[in-house]
């Protein structure tokens, strides 16, 4: 019977049982596509990452899948957790990279910055510069998230699709009370996603009493099987880039985005906009590990 090592890490946090849960499976060679799907469904988290170090390419490679048979790309919690795990387990995955470490997520090269905070690896992942793709009517989205059009009026900002690597919908919400009241109408969100060409819906508000928090957010992505995600790096990057384009924040400053409060898994995502992209950063902790039987 073939066995694989697996780990569960909590991502975008420095404490166990907070942050976004991620299962990580170490593989020696590529699995059959149905094995990726079955294992991801068995763990039951929003995403499962499969990792290996390629000695022919000299790079740490990551592939990630949701329970709904969708392969995830981009520099999100699925990648951050995998890299943090490698560092915590002291796997030598950057031995040929010199001063600029990097990894592969499916076919994309992601540059990294690696430091330490509080005894844990602190990993920055570089996303591409944010692009505003198009505006989506507030009337349509309000109904899909159980709020009114007036509830989505924050500083006069539009509801826009914004992309760094993955195109997500940025939905401004007037205050935290309304953010908490939002619900996901799965069928309407799926219809809007298909019609306008975005993946997930990132509701956010800048109404937070902690001045260290740039925004508090919630993420719904029923189209790929995620009811509500506790931390979404691929949406936090576009949000930071969007707010910089709006003139709300400056480049080269580190900001914190709070997510996951309403699923009891609070997460802190750090984001910094620079001239040639957006850095999304955080830490992770190992919660469990064991053997998986194929």
């Amino acid at each position: 019977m073939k066995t694989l090592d697996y780990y569960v890490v909590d991502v975008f946090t420095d404490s166990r049982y907070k942050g976004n849960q991620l299962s990580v499976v170490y593989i020696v060679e590529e699995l059959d596509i149905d094995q990726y799907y079955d294992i991801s469904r068995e763990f039951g988290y929003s995403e499962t990452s499969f990792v290996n170090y390629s000695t022919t390419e000299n790079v740490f490679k990551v592939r990630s899948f949701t329970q709904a048979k969708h392969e995830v790309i981009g520099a999100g919690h699925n990648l951050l957790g995998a890299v943090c795990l490698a560092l915590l387990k002291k796997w030598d995955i950057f031995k040929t990279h010199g001063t600029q470490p990097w990894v592969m997520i499916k076919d994309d090269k992601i540059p990294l910055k690696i430091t330490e905070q509080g005894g844990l690896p602190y990993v920055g992942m570089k996303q591409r510069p944010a692009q505003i793709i198009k505006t989506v009517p507030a009337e349509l989205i309000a109904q899909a998230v159980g709020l009114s059009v007036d509830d989505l009026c924050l500083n006069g900002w539009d509801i826009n699709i914004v992309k760094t690597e993955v195109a997500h919908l940025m939905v401004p919400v007037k205050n935290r009370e309304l953010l908490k009241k939002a619900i996901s109408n799965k069928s309407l969100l799926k219809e809007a996603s298909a019609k306008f060409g975005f993946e997930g819906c990132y509701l956010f508000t800048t109404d937070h009493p902690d001045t260290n928090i740039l925004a508090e957010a919630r993420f719904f992505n029923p189209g790929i099987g995620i009811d509500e995600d506790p931390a979404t790096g691929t949406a936090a990057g576009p949000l930071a880039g969007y707010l910089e384009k709006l003139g709300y924040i400056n480049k080269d400053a580190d900001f914190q985005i709070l997510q996951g409060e309403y699923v009891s898994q609070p997460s802190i995502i750090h984001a910094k906009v620079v001239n040639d992209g957006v850095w999304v950063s955080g830490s992770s902790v190992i919660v469990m590990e064991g053997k998986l039987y194929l």
Side-chain angles (χ1 to χ4, degrees):
M1 185 180 297
K2 188 174 181 179
T3 64
L4 299 172
D5 292 330
Y6 79 83
Y7 309 83
V8 174
V9 292
D10 287 339
V11 187
F12 286 117
T13 181
D14 57 7
S15 303
R16 291 181 180 86
Y17 312 113
K18 297 182 180 179
N20 200 353
Q21 300 152 310
L22 176 73
S23 40
V24 183
V25 179
Y26 197 99
I27 60 175
V28 178
E29 57 189 14
E30 289 284 346
L31 304 179
D32 294 336
I33 192 66
D34 286 336
Q35 292 178 308
Y36 288 125
Y37 295 157
D38 289 344
I39 293 168
S40 300
R41 187 179 66 252
E42 187 74 16
F43 277 112
Y45 299 126
S46 61
E47 294 164 25
T48 294
S49 290
F50 298 82
V51 303
N52 75 298
Y53 184 82
S54 170
T55 54
T56 56
E57 300 173 72
N58 295 319
V59 65
F60 190 61
K61 304 183 77 171
V62 182
R63 294 186 69 181
S64 302
F65 296 85
T66 73
Q67 298 180 61
K69 300 183 178 181
H70 180 85
E71 184 162 8
V72 178
I73 60 171
H77 92 282
N78 56 306
L79 185 66
L80 180 71
V83 173
C84 286
L85 171 67
L87 295 169
L88 288 165
K89 301 300 286 187
K90 301 189 184 306
W91 298 339
D92 189 8
I93 63 171
F94 302 122
K95 51 193 170 187
T96 64
H97 291 185
T99 59
Q100 177 58 77
W102 54 281
V103 294
M104 294 292 294
I105 175 75
K106 199 178 179 184
D107 301 319
D108 293 334
K109 179 179 178 179
I110 306 294
L112 304 174
K113 282 184 182 177
I114 297 170
T115 54
E116 183 180 298
Q117 285 191 9
L120 290 172
Y122 182 79
V123 176
M125 309 175 294
K126 193 175 186 182
Q127 300 179 3
R128 290 185 282 270
Q131 305 173 53
I132 298 176
I133 307 299
K134 67 175 70 170
T135 300
V136 176
E139 296 81 4
L140 187 152
I141 299 303
Q143 187 178 4
V145 298
L147 298 174
S148 72
V149 171
D150 186 60
D151 295 338
L152 306 185
C153 182
L154 176 66
N155 299 331
W157 296 335
D158 288 328
I159 298 174
N160 274 329
I161 300 170
V162 184
K163 178 180 180 180
T164 52
E165 293 150 339
V166 182
H168 292 304
L169 187 67
M170 303 293 112
V171 182
V173 178
K174 187 178 291 184
N175 56 49
R176 295 177 72 214
E177 181 181 350
L178 293 169
L179 184 70
K180 183 177 181 179
K181 286 174 60 178
I183 58 172
S184 171
N185 186 315
K186 295 181 185 181
S187 61
L188 291 180
L189 281 176
K190 286 180 180 179
E191 287 177 16
S193 172
K195 180 177 180 179
F196 291 96
F198 64 88
E199 192 171 284
C201 179
Y202 206 44
L203 286 76
F204 73 93
T205 184
T206 53
D207 168 48
H208 198 282
D210 187 343
T211 56
N212 292 316
I213 302 296
L214 168 67
E216 184 172 359
R218 298 179 68 184
F219 183 78
F220 305 140
N221 197 349
I224 65 169
I226 298 175
D227 291 339
E228 180 163 0
D229 204 21
T232 316
T234 60
L239 175 58
Y242 184 39
L243 293 178
E244 189 276 328
K245 287 180 179 297
L246 290 168
Y248 187 75
I249 63 173
N250 296 322
K251 290 181 180 177
D252 301 313
D254 183 76
F255 295 97
Q256 297 180 36
I257 296 169
L258 172 65
Q259 190 180 333
E261 280 283 282
Y262 307 113
V263 288
S264 301
Q265 292 171 240
S267 310
I268 294 292
I269 306 169
H270 289 256
K272 179 169 67 173
V273 182
V274 294
N275 284 332
D276 58 348
V278 182
W279 285 97
V280 174
S281 309
S283 295
S284 306
V285 292
I286 300 172
V287 177
M288 64 180 86
E289 55 186 271
K291 294 289 184 182
L292 183 152
Y293 298 93
L294 291 179

